[in-house]
Amino acid sequence: QGYYTRRGGIGESGDFVTSPEISQVFGELIGIWYISEWIATGKPKAFQLVELGPGRGTLTDDILRVFNQLASLLSKCDVSVHLVEVSPKLSEIQALMLTGGKVQSNPEDKSAYMKGVSKTGIPIFWYRDIQDVPPGYSFYLAHEFFDALPIHKFQRTEKGWREVLVDIDPEVPDQLRFVLSPSSTPATENFIQPEETRDHVEVCPEAGVIIQRLACRIEKDGGAALVADYGHDGTKTDTFRGFQNHKLHDVLRAPGTADLTADVDFSYLRKMTQGRTATLGPIKQWEFLKNMGIDLRLQVLLQNSRDTATHEQLLHSYDMLMNPKKMGDCFNFFALLPHRRLVHPDKKQKPESKSPLPPVAGFGELLLK
């Protein structure tokens, strides 16, 4: 049915709602994270902001607003935006949000299928695959992207690992059911780590491939990747579920009409970088946002808001993002950085002659200057 390519039910009227749709502060703080990394690596002359699966474009829009507010800081830097989006419907919505609809299809350039200019004057390009994004110093963003990729499910049995497959139920017409593979499948041979201790495992090979590509790019060209998603660090077992109209939905019923999701296994992503980059996290969303200064930002917005409704909306959205019982604990932040960002390459020679590396924002307590 093509859930994302035809529908893409994000927002209050859809099947699920995401953090950027709840509060502008979320995207602003991510924008500040990228700028702080840009400064920490010596303010390169150009950077690309690359978002994977940008939804309605809200997050990029909030980030671009921060870039615009800090235009004097970025004045000597050549900034461009690159969106990796397979859905024709969502790319139209993004174009409207980011450029006011001023885009042109791009048949002469085979890699980007569409291009435009943001309301703040930054060039934006659309691609179907991360491989098509040009190389160069880049900041990658994957917010609620990896959880939507397909997974393999496995179960440990007395006869060894078996893959969980989808089958037609012979008892009920037009009904699907889960079955165990009668013997080992190529996926069980390839995707189960020998040291695995869990009895049920979900593996997303596509996430592994994409992380490998990001790690190779960051190792070669510099930059950073920030992943924000539902997830765990190799501890959870059975997280595959569906959402329709903000309610849980049987994944096998009416396929293509509901959002399907599975928690991201960050331990698997870490393994898939194959040591090409350093990794930070996962840390809880509330912790990352607190370290990024969300409390100060909230105070400023509250002081600047005149009416009670805006006040209440700000406090409500802050609670949604930060409350551990809401989104604060469900979502995690995870980063990929070049090794040289965290370790001086020549630390063996004279450690005392080197200035200390600036801390990575968001992933530790930062002293506000």
Coordinates of all heavy atoms in Angstrom, one line a residue, residues 189-271:
E189 N 21.4 -17.1 9.7 CA 22.8 -17.4 9.6 C 23.6 -16.1 9.6 O 24.7 -16.1 10.2 CB 23.2 -18.1 8.2 CG 22.4 -19.4 8.0 CD 22.8 -20.5 9.0 OE1 24.0 -20.5 9.4 OE2 22.0 -21.3 9.3
N190 N 23.1 -15.0 9.1 CA 23.9 -13.8 8.9 C 23.7 -12.7 9.9 O 24.6 -11.9 10.1 CB 23.6 -13.2 7.5 CG 24.2 -14.0 6.4 OD1 25.4 -14.2 6.3 ND2 23.4 -14.6 5.6
F191 N 22.5 -12.6 10.5 CA 22.2 -11.4 11.3 C 22.3 -11.6 12.8 O 22.1 -10.7 13.6 CB 20.9 -10.8 10.9 CG 20.8 -10.4 9.5 CD1 19.7 -10.6 8.7 CD2 21.9 -9.7 8.9 CE1 19.6 -10.1 7.4 CE2 21.9 -9.3 7.6 CZ 20.7 -9.5 6.8
I192 N 22.4 -12.9 13.3 CA 22.5 -13.1 14.7 C 23.9 -13.1 15.2 O 24.7 -13.8 14.6 CB 21.8 -14.5 15.1 CG1 20.3 -14.5 14.7 CG2 22.0 -14.8 16.6 CD1 19.4 -13.7 15.6
Q193 N 24.2 -12.2 16.2 CA 25.6 -12.2 16.7 C 25.9 -13.4 17.5 O 25.0 -13.8 18.3 CB 25.8 -10.9 17.5 CG 25.3 -9.6 16.9 CD 26.3 -9.2 15.8 OE1 27.4 -9.5 15.7 NE2 25.8 -8.3 14.9
P194 N 27.1 -14.0 17.4 CA 27.3 -15.2 18.2 C 27.2 -15.1 19.7 O 26.8 -16.0 20.4 CB 28.8 -15.6 17.8 CG 29.3 -14.4 17.0 CD 28.2 -13.6 16.5
E195 N 27.5 -13.8 20.2 CA 27.4 -13.6 21.6 C 26.0 -13.3 22.1 O 25.8 -12.9 23.3 CB 28.4 -12.5 22.0 CG 28.1 -11.1 21.6 CD 28.6 -10.8 20.1 OE1 28.9 -11.8 19.4 OE2 28.6 -9.6 19.8
E196 N 25.0 -13.3 21.3 CA 23.6 -12.9 21.6 C 23.1 -13.7 22.8 O 23.1 -15.0 22.8 CB 22.7 -13.1 20.4 CG 21.3 -12.6 20.6 CD 21.3 -11.1 21.0 OE1 21.6 -10.3 20.2 OE2 20.9 -10.9 22.2
T197 N 22.5 -13.0 23.8 CA 22.0 -13.7 25.0 C 20.5 -13.7 25.1 O 19.9 -14.4 25.8 CB 22.5 -13.0 26.3 OG1 22.2 -11.6 26.2 CG2 24.0 -13.2 26.4
R198 N 19.8 -12.8 24.3 CA 18.4 -12.7 24.3 C 17.7 -13.9 23.6 O 18.4 -14.5 22.8 CB 17.9 -11.4 23.6 CG 18.3 -10.2 24.4 CD 18.0 -8.9 23.6 NE 19.0 -8.7 22.5 CZ 19.0 -7.7 21.6 NH1 18.1 -6.8 21.6 NH2 20.0 -7.7 20.7
D199 N 16.5 -14.2 23.9 CA 15.7 -15.2 23.2 C 14.9 -14.8 22.0 O 14.5 -15.5 21.2 CB 14.8 -16.0 24.2 CG 15.6 -16.7 25.2 OD1 16.7 -17.1 24.9 OD2 15.1 -17.0 26.3
H200 N 14.6 -13.5 22.0 CA 13.9 -12.9 20.9 C 14.7 -11.7 20.4 O 15.1 -10.9 21.3 CB 12.5 -12.3 21.3 CG 11.5 -13.4 21.6 ND1 10.6 -13.8 20.7 CD2 11.4 -14.2 22.7 CE1 9.8 -14.8 21.3 NE2 10.3 -15.0 22.5
V201 N 15.0 -11.6 19.1 CA 15.8 -10.5 18.7 C 15.2 -9.9 17.4 O 14.7 -10.6 16.5 CB 17.3 -11.0 18.3 CG1 18.2 -9.9 17.8 CG2 17.9 -11.6 19.6
E202 N 15.3 -8.5 17.3 CA 14.9 -7.9 16.0 C 16.2 -7.2 15.4 O 16.9 -6.6 16.1 CB 13.9 -6.7 16.4 CG 12.6 -7.3 16.9 CD 11.7 -6.2 17.6 OE1 12.3 -5.2 18.1 OE2 10.5 -6.4 17.7
V203 N 16.4 -7.4 14.2 CA 17.5 -6.9 13.5 C 17.1 -6.1 12.3 O 16.3 -6.6 11.5 CB 18.6 -8.0 13.1 CG1 19.8 -7.3 12.4 CG2 19.0 -8.8 14.3
C204 N 17.7 -4.9 12.1 CA 17.3 -4.1 10.9 C 18.6 -3.9 10.1 O 19.4 -3.0 10.3 CB 16.8 -2.7 11.4 SG 16.5 -1.6 10.1
P205 N 18.8 -4.8 9.1 CA 20.0 -4.8 8.3 C 20.2 -3.5 7.5 O 21.3 -3.0 7.4 CB 19.9 -6.0 7.3 CG 18.7 -6.8 7.8 CD 17.9 -5.9 8.7
E206 N 19.0 -2.9 7.1 CA 19.1 -1.7 6.3 C 19.7 -0.5 7.2 O 20.5 0.3 6.7 CB 17.7 -1.3 5.9 CG 17.7 -0.4 4.6 CD 16.2 -0.1 4.1 OE1 15.4 -1.0 4.2 OE2 16.0 1.0 3.7
A207 N 19.3 -0.5 8.5 CA 19.9 0.5 9.4 C 21.4 0.3 9.5 O 22.2 1.3 9.5 CB 19.3 0.4 10.8
G208 N 21.8 -1.0 9.5 CA 23.3 -1.3 9.6 C 24.0 -0.7 8.3 O 25.1 -0.1 8.5
V209 N 23.4 -0.9 7.2 CA 24.0 -0.4 5.9 C 24.1 1.1 5.9 O 25.1 1.7 5.6 CB 23.2 -0.9 4.7 CG1 23.6 -0.2 3.4 CG2 23.2 -2.4 4.6
I210 N 23.0 1.8 6.4 CA 23.0 3.2 6.3 C 24.0 3.8 7.4 O 24.8 4.7 7.0 CB 21.6 3.8 6.6 CG1 20.7 3.4 5.4 CG2 21.6 5.3 6.9 CD1 19.2 3.6 5.6
I211 N 24.1 3.2 8.5 CA 25.1 3.6 9.5 C 26.5 3.4 9.0 O 27.4 4.3 9.2 CB 24.9 2.9 10.9 CG1 23.7 3.5 11.7 CG2 26.2 2.9 11.7 CD1 24.0 4.9 12.3
Q212 N 26.7 2.3 8.3 CA 28.1 2.1 7.7 C 28.4 3.2 6.7 O 29.5 3.8 6.7 CB 28.1 0.8 6.9 CG 28.4 -0.4 7.9 CD 28.4 -1.7 7.1 OE1 28.3 -1.8 5.9 NE2 28.5 -2.8 7.9
R213 N 27.4 3.6 5.9 CA 27.6 4.7 4.9 C 27.9 6.0 5.6 O 28.8 6.8 5.2 CB 26.4 4.8 4.0 CG 26.4 3.7 3.0 CD 25.3 3.8 2.0 NE 25.3 2.6 1.2 CZ 24.2 2.0 0.7 NH1 23.0 2.6 0.8 NH2 24.3 0.9 0.0
L214 N 27.1 6.3 6.7 CA 27.4 7.6 7.4 C 28.8 7.5 8.1 O 29.5 8.5 8.0 CB 26.3 7.7 8.5 CG 24.9 8.0 8.1 CD1 24.0 8.1 9.3 CD2 24.8 9.2 7.2
A215 N 29.1 6.4 8.7 CA 30.4 6.3 9.3 C 31.6 6.5 8.3 O 32.5 7.2 8.6 CB 30.6 5.0 10.0
C216 N 31.5 5.9 7.1 CA 32.5 6.1 6.1 C 32.6 7.5 5.7 O 33.7 8.0 5.5 CB 32.2 5.2 4.9 SG 32.4 3.5 5.1
R217 N 31.5 8.2 5.5 CA 31.5 9.6 5.1 C 32.1 10.5 6.1 O 32.9 11.4 5.8 CB 30.0 10.1 4.8 CG 29.5 9.6 3.4 CD 28.0 9.8 3.3 NE 27.6 9.7 1.9 CZ 27.3 10.7 1.1 NH1 27.3 11.9 1.5 NH2 27.0 10.5 -0.2
I218 N 31.7 10.3 7.4 CA 32.2 11.1 8.5 C 33.7 10.9 8.7 O 34.5 11.8 8.9 CB 31.4 10.9 9.8 CG1 30.0 11.4 9.6 CG2 32.1 11.5 11.0 CD1 29.0 10.9 10.7
E219 N 34.1 9.6 8.6 CA 35.6 9.3 8.7 C 36.4 10.1 7.6 O 37.4 10.6 7.9 CB 35.8 7.8 8.6 CG 37.2 7.4 8.7 CD 37.4 5.9 8.4 OE1 36.7 5.3 7.5 OE2 38.2 5.2 9.2
K220 N 35.8 10.1 6.4 CA 36.5 10.7 5.3 C 36.4 12.2 5.2 O 37.4 12.9 5.0 CB 36.0 10.1 4.0 CG 36.7 10.4 2.7 CD 36.3 9.4 1.6 CE 36.6 10.0 0.2 NZ 35.7 11.1 -0.2
D221 N 35.2 12.7 5.4 CA 35.0 14.1 5.1 C 34.8 15.0 6.4 O 34.7 16.2 6.3 CB 33.8 14.3 4.2 CG 33.9 13.6 2.9 OD1 35.0 13.7 2.3 OD2 32.9 13.1 2.4
G222 N 34.7 14.3 7.5 CA 34.4 15.1 8.8 C 32.9 15.4 8.9 O 32.1 15.0 8.1
G223 N 32.6 16.1 10.0 CA 31.1 16.4 10.3 C 30.7 15.5 11.5 O 31.4 15.2 12.4
A224 N 29.4 15.2 11.5 CA 28.8 14.5 12.6 C 27.4 14.0 12.2 O 26.8 14.5 11.3 CB 28.7 15.4 13.9
A225 N 27.0 12.9 12.9 CA 25.6 12.5 12.7 C 24.9 12.4 14.1 O 25.5 12.0 15.1 CB 25.6 11.1 12.1
L226 N 23.6 12.9 14.1 CA 22.8 12.8 15.3 C 21.6 12.0 15.0 O 20.9 12.2 14.0 CB 22.4 14.2 15.7 CG 21.9 14.5 17.1 CD1 22.9 14.1 18.1 CD2 21.6 16.0 17.3
V227 N 21.4 10.9 15.8 CA 20.3 10.0 15.6 C 19.4 10.2 16.8 O 19.9 10.1 18.0 CB 20.7 8.5 15.5 CG1 19.6 7.6 15.4 CG2 21.7 8.4 14.3
A228 N 18.1 10.5 16.6 CA 17.2 10.6 17.8 C 16.0 9.6 17.5 O 15.4 9.7 16.4 CB 16.7 12.0 17.9
D229 N 15.8 8.7 18.4 CA 14.7 7.7 18.1 C 14.3 6.9 19.4 O 15.1 6.9 20.4 CB 15.3 6.7 17.1 CG 14.2 6.4 16.0 OD1 13.0 6.2 16.4 OD2 14.6 6.3 14.8
Y230 N 13.2 6.2 19.2 CA 12.9 5.2 20.2 C 14.0 4.2 20.2 O 14.5 3.9 19.1 CB 11.7 4.3 19.8 CG 10.3 5.0 19.7 CD1 9.9 5.4 18.4 CD2 9.5 5.1 20.8 CE1 8.6 6.0 18.3 CE2 8.3 5.6 20.7 CZ 7.8 6.1 19.5 OH 6.6 6.6 19.4
G231 N 14.3 3.6 21.3 CA 15.4 2.6 21.2 C 15.9 2.1 22.5 O 15.4 2.4 23.6
H232 N 16.9 1.2 22.4 CA 17.5 0.5 23.6 C 18.9 0.2 23.2 O 19.3 0.3 22.0 CB 16.7 -0.7 23.9 CG 16.6 -1.7 22.8 ND1 17.5 -2.7 22.6 CD2 15.7 -1.8 21.8 CE1 17.2 -3.4 21.5 NE2 16.1 -2.9 21.0
D233 N 19.7 -0.2 24.2 CA 21.1 -0.5 23.9 C 21.3 -2.0 23.9 O 22.1 -2.5 24.7 CB 22.0 0.2 24.9 CG 23.3 0.6 24.4 OD1 23.5 0.4 23.1 OD2 24.2 1.0 25.1
G234 N 20.5 -2.7 23.1 CA 20.7 -4.2 23.0 C 20.1 -5.0 24.1 O 20.5 -6.1 24.4
T235 N 19.0 -4.4 24.7 CA 18.4 -5.1 25.9 C 17.0 -5.6 25.5 O 16.5 -6.6 26.1 CB 18.3 -4.1 27.1 OG1 17.7 -2.9 26.6 CG2 19.7 -3.9 27.7
K236 N 16.2 -4.8 24.7 CA 14.8 -5.2 24.5 C 14.7 -6.3 23.5 O 15.6 -6.6 22.7 CB 14.1 -4.0 23.9 CG 13.8 -2.9 25.0 CD 12.8 -1.9 24.5 CE 12.6 -0.8 25.6 NZ 11.7 0.2 25.0
T237 N 13.5 -7.0 23.5 CA 13.4 -8.2 22.6 C 12.3 -8.0 21.6 O 12.5 -8.3 20.4 CB 13.1 -9.4 23.5 OG1 11.9 -9.1 24.3 CG2 14.2 -9.7 24.4
D238 N 11.1 -7.6 22.0 CA 9.9 -7.6 21.1 C 9.3 -6.2 21.1 O 8.5 -5.9 22.0 CB 9.0 -8.7 21.6 CG 7.9 -9.0 20.6 OD1 8.1 -8.6 19.4 OD2 6.9 -9.6 20.9
T239 N 9.6 -5.4 20.1 CA 9.1 -4.0 20.1 C 8.4 -3.7 18.9 O 7.9 -2.5 18.7 CB 10.3 -3.0 20.2 OG1 11.1 -3.1 19.0 CG2 11.3 -3.4 21.4
F240 N 8.2 -4.6 17.9 CA 7.5 -4.3 16.7 C 6.0 -4.1 16.9 O 5.3 -4.9 17.5 CB 7.7 -5.6 15.8 CG 7.1 -5.4 14.4 CD1 7.2 -4.3 13.7 CD2 6.3 -6.5 13.9 CE1 6.6 -4.2 12.4 CE2 5.8 -6.4 12.6 CZ 5.9 -5.2 11.9
R241 N 5.6 -2.9 16.5 CA 4.2 -2.5 16.8 C 3.6 -1.6 15.7 O 4.4 -1.0 14.9 CB 4.0 -1.9 18.1 CG 4.9 -0.6 18.4 CD 5.2 -0.4 19.8 NE 5.9 0.8 20.1 CZ 7.2 1.0 19.9 NH1 7.9 0.0 19.4 NH2 7.8 2.1 20.2
G242 N 2.3 -1.4 15.7 CA 1.7 -0.5 14.7 C 1.0 0.6 15.4 O 0.5 0.5 16.6
F243 N 0.8 1.8 14.7 CA 0.0 2.9 15.3 C -0.9 3.4 14.2 O -0.6 3.6 13.1 CB 0.9 4.1 15.7 CG 1.7 3.9 17.0 CD1 3.0 3.4 17.0 CD2 1.0 4.0 18.2 CE1 3.6 3.2 18.2 CE2 1.7 3.8 19.4 CZ 3.0 3.4 19.4
Q244 N -2.2 3.6 14.7 CA -3.2 4.2 13.8 C -4.0 5.2 14.6 O -4.5 4.8 15.7 CB -4.0 3.1 13.2 CG -4.8 3.6 11.9 CD -5.6 2.5 11.3 OE1 -6.4 1.8 12.0 NE2 -5.3 2.2 10.0
N245 N -4.1 6.4 14.2 CA -4.8 7.4 14.9 C -4.3 7.5 16.4 O -5.1 7.6 17.3 CB -6.4 7.1 15.0 CG -6.9 7.2 13.6 OD1 -6.5 7.9 12.7 ND2 -7.9 6.3 13.3
H246 N -3.0 7.4 16.5 CA -2.3 7.6 17.8 C -2.6 6.4 18.8 O -2.4 6.5 20.0 CB -2.7 8.9 18.5 CG -2.4 10.1 17.7 ND1 -1.2 10.8 17.7 CD2 -3.1 10.7 16.7 CE1 -1.2 11.7 16.8 NE2 -2.4 11.7 16.2
K247 N -3.2 5.3 18.3 CA -3.5 4.2 19.1 C -2.7 3.0 18.6 O -2.5 2.9 17.4 CB -5.0 3.8 19.2 CG -5.8 4.9 19.9 CD -7.3 4.4 20.0 CE -8.1 5.4 20.8 NZ -8.4 6.6 20.0
L248 N -2.4 2.0 19.5 CA -1.7 0.8 19.0 C -2.6 0.0 18.1 O -3.8 0.0 18.2 CB -1.3 -0.1 20.2 CG -0.1 0.3 21.0 CD1 0.0 -0.4 22.3 CD2 1.2 0.1 20.1
H249 N -2.0 -0.6 17.1 CA -2.7 -1.2 16.0 C -2.1 -2.6 15.7 O -0.8 -2.6 15.6 CB -2.7 -0.3 14.8 CG -3.3 -0.9 13.5 ND1 -4.6 -0.8 13.3 CD2 -2.7 -1.5 12.5 CE1 -4.9 -1.3 12.1 NE2 -3.7 -1.8 11.6
D250 N -2.9 -3.6 15.5 CA -2.3 -4.9 15.1 C -1.5 -4.8 13.8 O -2.1 -4.5 12.8 CB -3.5 -5.9 15.0 CG -3.0 -7.3 14.6 OD1 -1.8 -7.5 14.3 OD2 -3.8 -8.2 14.5
V251 N -0.2 -5.2 13.9 CA 0.6 -5.0 12.7 C 0.2 -5.8 11.5 O 0.5 -5.5 10.4 CB 2.1 -5.3 13.0 CG1 2.7 -4.3 14.0 CG2 2.3 -6.7 13.6
L252 N -0.5 -6.9 11.7 CA -0.9 -7.8 10.6 C -2.3 -7.4 10.0 O -2.7 -8.0 9.1 CB -0.9 -9.2 11.1 CG 0.5 -9.8 11.5 CD1 0.4 -11.3 11.8 CD2 1.5 -9.6 10.4
R253 N -3.0 -6.5 10.7 CA -4.3 -6.1 10.2 C -4.2 -5.0 9.2 O -3.6 -4.0 9.5 CB -5.2 -5.8 11.4 CG -6.7 -6.2 11.1 CD -7.6 -5.9 12.3 NE -7.9 -4.5 12.4 CZ -7.6 -3.8 13.5 NH1 -7.0 -4.3 14.5 NH2 -7.9 -2.5 13.5
A254 N -4.8 -5.1 8.1 CA -4.9 -4.0 7.0 C -3.5 -3.4 6.8 O -3.3 -2.2 7.1 CB -5.9 -2.9 7.5
P255 N -2.5 -4.2 6.3 CA -1.2 -3.6 6.2 C -1.2 -2.4 5.2 O -1.9 -2.4 4.2 CB -0.4 -4.8 5.6 CG -1.3 -5.9 5.3 CD -2.6 -5.6 5.9
G256 N -0.3 -1.5 5.5 CA -0.3 -0.3 4.6 C -1.1 0.9 5.1 O -1.1 2.0 4.5
T257 N -2.0 0.6 6.1 CA -2.8 1.7 6.6 C -2.4 2.2 7.9 O -2.9 3.2 8.5 CB -4.3 1.2 6.8 OG1 -4.3 0.2 7.8 CG2 -4.8 0.6 5.5
A258 N -1.3 1.6 8.5 CA -0.9 2.0 9.9 C 0.6 2.3 9.8 O 1.4 1.7 9.0 CB -1.2 1.0 10.9
D259 N 1.1 3.1 10.8 CA 2.6 3.3 10.9 C 3.1 2.1 11.6 O 2.7 1.7 12.7 CB 2.8 4.6 11.8 CG 4.2 4.8 12.2 OD1 5.1 4.6 11.3 OD2 4.5 5.1 13.4
L260 N 4.1 1.4 11.0 CA 4.8 0.3 11.7 C 6.1 0.8 12.2 O 6.9 1.5 11.5 CB 5.0 -0.8 10.7 CG 3.7 -1.4 10.0 CD1 4.1 -2.6 9.1 CD2 2.7 -1.8 11.1
T261 N 6.5 0.3 13.4 CA 7.7 0.8 14.0 C 8.3 -0.3 14.9 O 7.6 -1.2 15.4 CB 7.4 2.1 14.9 OG1 8.6 2.5 15.5 CG2 6.4 1.8 16.0
A262 N 9.6 -0.2 15.0 CA 10.3 -1.1 16.0 C 11.5 -0.3 16.6 O 12.1 0.5 15.9 CB 10.9 -2.3 15.2
D263 N 11.7 -0.5 17.9 CA 12.7 0.2 18.6 C 14.1 0.0 18.0 O 14.4 -1.1 17.5 CB 12.8 -0.2 20.1 CG 11.6 0.4 20.9 OD1 10.7 1.0 20.3 OD2 11.7 0.4 22.1
V264 N 14.9 1.1 17.9 CA 16.2 1.0 17.3 C 17.2 0.4 18.3 O 17.2 0.8 19.5 CB 16.7 2.4 17.0 CG1 18.1 2.4 16.4 CG2 15.7 3.1 16.0
D265 N 17.9 -0.6 17.9 CA 18.9 -1.2 18.7 C 20.3 -0.5 18.5 O 21.0 -0.7 17.6 CB 19.1 -2.7 18.3 CG 20.1 -3.4 19.2 OD1 20.9 -2.8 19.9 OD2 20.0 -4.7 19.2
F266 N 20.5 0.5 19.5 CA 21.7 1.3 19.3 C 23.0 0.5 19.5 O 24.0 0.9 18.9 CB 21.7 2.4 20.4 CG 20.6 3.5 20.1 CD1 19.5 3.5 20.8 CD2 20.8 4.4 19.0 CE1 18.5 4.5 20.5 CE2 19.8 5.3 18.7 CZ 18.7 5.4 19.4
S267 N 23.0 -0.6 20.2 CA 24.2 -1.5 20.3 C 24.6 -2.0 18.9 O 25.7 -2.2 18.5 CB 24.0 -2.6 21.3 OG 23.1 -3.5 20.8
Y268 N 23.5 -2.3 18.1 CA 23.7 -2.8 16.7 C 24.3 -1.7 15.9 O 25.2 -1.9 15.1 CB 22.4 -3.3 16.2 CG 22.4 -3.7 14.7 CD1 23.1 -4.9 14.3 CD2 21.8 -3.0 13.8 CE1 23.2 -5.3 13.0 CE2 21.8 -3.4 12.4 CZ 22.5 -4.5 12.0 OH 22.5 -4.9 10.7
L269 N 23.7 -0.5 16.0 CA 24.3 0.7 15.2 C 25.7 0.9 15.6 O 26.6 1.2 14.7 CB 23.5 2.0 15.5 CG 22.0 1.9 15.1 CD1 21.4 3.4 15.2 CD2 21.7 1.4 13.7
R270 N 26.1 0.9 16.9 CA 27.4 1.1 17.3 C 28.4 0.0 16.6 O 29.4 0.4 16.1 CB 27.5 1.0 18.8 CG 28.8 1.5 19.4 CD 28.9 1.3 20.9 NE 27.9 2.1 21.6 CZ 26.9 1.6 22.3 NH1 26.8 0.3 22.4 NH2 26.0 2.4 22.9
K271 N 27.9 -1.2 16.6 CA 28.7 -2.3 16.0 C 28.9 -2.1 14.5 O 30.0 -2.3 14.0 CB 28.0 -3.6 16.3 CG 28.8 -4.8 16.4 CD 28.0 -6.0 16.9 CE 28.1 -6.2 18.4 NZ 27.0 -6.8 19.1

